[in-house]
Amino acid sequence: MRILVLDAALARCSAAIVSDDRIVALRQHMVDRGQAALLPGMAADLFSESSIQAGELDLVAVTVGPGSFTGIRAGLALACGIGLAAGVPIVGVSVGEALAESLPYLGNRELWSAIDSRRGRVFLERTGGRIGGYTLDLLPVPDGPVAVAGDAAIDTAAWLAALDANVMLTDARFPQPRHIAIAACRRRTGELPPLAVQPLYVDPPEARLPAAPRPAPAV
């Protein structure tokens, strides 16, 4: 199966073509912003490098959050455009689901994916689709042993340890394209529950529509 993977939810922007669990072409950049401008060119490079055209894809997989508001929108917009044009399914994957695929041997530890919200808080994605935003000093106390992943994992694990929680810090910081593709395939086969291909926001968008339309200019 040939899968186009797009990820712009966090600070590392990724585009890849994965074929039968193998990376065929890959582009990655660390960026604070500007994913919308970078991602289309990265995808175009993939098609040129791999000689695989959009019409030869079987699936488009895209991260839907939680993470950067603009990055999530950029990834989804490109995924939907390519998927609709190529006539192939588009599957959304959460950041936590992709990170979980990279950590299959956690035993009885629950995985907490901690994402930097860039607003002095972290977004926590936990088992069962529980997602919330917290300041570090108001983190929930785990009921049992946990493992922490994500780009805010170090600070989160430190705070949990200070609460005497049974916490293990993993080395998984960003979703890997191969694991995004695996999670997307599991969703297609029903191993993962359905997830809408739309932004998975924790905070409301910063952008606001005007409260009322502006009056027409005087003639």
Side-chain angles (χ1 to χ4, degrees):
M1 178 175 283
R2 293 174 171 179
I3 302 173
L4 172 66
V5 176
L6 300 171
D7 172 33
L10 306 184
R12 187 169 70 187
C13 190
S14 300
I17 292 178
V18 179
S19 178
D20 298 327
D21 288 346
R22 181 176 61 88
I23 297 287
V24 175
L26 173 67
R27 292 289 185 276
Q28 289 183 324
H29 294 287
M30 293 297 295
V31 292
D32 287 329
R33 55 181 57 87
Q35 292 97 329
L38 276 175
L39 210 52
M42 292 167 64
D45 288 344
L46 298 179
F47 293 127
S48 176
E49 178 182 325
S50 66
S51 299
I52 296 173
Q53 301 306 307
E56 298 174 303
L57 296 171
D58 299 298
L59 189 71
V60 177
V62 59
T63 48
V64 298
S68 161
F69 173 70
T70 53
I72 292 168
R73 287 192 306 168
L76 277 167
L78 184 59
C80 289
I82 294 174
L84 291 173
V88 299
I90 307 153
V91 178
V93 173
S94 76
V95 169
E97 289 169 339
L99 291 172
E101 291 296 338
S102 70
L103 299 165
Y105 304 113
L106 295 179
N108 65 339
R109 290 184 181 273
E110 179 184 0
L111 179 63
W112 285 21
S113 298
I115 307 304
D116 182 3
S117 76
R118 303 182 187 178
R119 296 179 179 181
R121 299 189 305 145
V122 296
F123 297 149
L124 274 185
E125 182 180 352
R126 295 178 282 169
T127 303
R130 295 173 295 161
I131 299 175
Y134 305 89
T135 56
L136 288 171
D137 59 334
L138 293 177
L139 285 170
V141 179
D143 295 329
V146 296
V148 184
D151 61 354
I154 294 175
D155 289 342
T156 300
W159 275 88
L160 291 175
L163 297 173
D164 290 328
N166 183 344
V167 57
M168 179 181 77
L169 176 65
T170 75
D171 61 358
R173 297 290 175 267
F174 299 98
Q176 298 291 341
R178 179 175 171 271
H179 299 131
I180 297 170
I182 291 172
C185 289
R186 293 185 62 206
R187 173 148 285 125
R188 286 282 291 169
T189 59
E191 294 179 64
L192 290 179
L195 181 67
V197 186
Q198 61 186 27
L200 188 61
Y201 294 139
V202 178
D203 289 335
E206 292 180 339
R208 293 287 187 273
L209 294 174
R214 295 180 179 177
V219 177

